[in-house]
Amino acid sequence: MSTTSTSDSAATGSTPEDVLRPSTAVDPGDMSEPSGSDVTQSLAFSSGNPGILETRGVMILYRDDIFSSTSQLPVDRKPYLCVLAVPNHLKPQNFCQFCDSFIQHILEMRLVRNDGMGDQYSVLIRLDNQNSADDFYKHFNGRRFSSQEEEVCRVLFIVDVQYAALIEHAQFSSASSMEEPYCPVCLERLDQDMSGILTTICNHSFHCSCISKWTDSSCPV
Ligand SMILES: [Zn+2]
Ligand SMILES: [Zn+2]
């Protein structure tokens, strides 16, 4: 509720709260940033299976047209980044390989669809601290996904991610499909204290190291 203590979160080394997970419901009263602000933009997104179990939400991002031109990072930024508009032909495992040099600093990645961007997806990334996030931004923003790719990686700092209520279209797919505590590839637990967990658009979670070994383009689940 308070509007006075918003600026110190970026500087402290404390563990950031996990805004990437739908389970942490965002208190609307915490939102100090109006979504129509001139330094931020809001994008609707979804993940999961439309028609069965779909997660919908809104990501609020610092606009990159302002901050990349001034080469100044948003003052109130947090260790959360969004890689916007990744071409669909870049598979999740390709994306893991792309950011492999930072993988030990990436706690979690979540792939989502943005409304109206059917041939692209976006990746919400939670890093272990602000320095890692800043380094990730400086290293990858504007970088080509590969030497054969025209597309460059577009990195934006996340202001907030707000999840709408889970839209359940069928009652038989209950909570079990929501959070998979085991990696379907290696069958080890997906410990949240561990880094490098990737959640695909179909809402299945893996170790990045495991999905990297998966050469098939379809989901292993
Ligand atoms: Zn695994
Ligand atoms: Zn899947």
Side-chain angles (χ1 to χ4, degrees), residues 183 185-186 207 210:
C183 170
V185 177
C186 68
H207 299 115
C210 292

Side-chain angles (χ1 to χ4, degrees), residues 200 202 204 206 219 221:
T200 54
C202 49
H204 294 127
F206 306 88
C219 174
V221 175

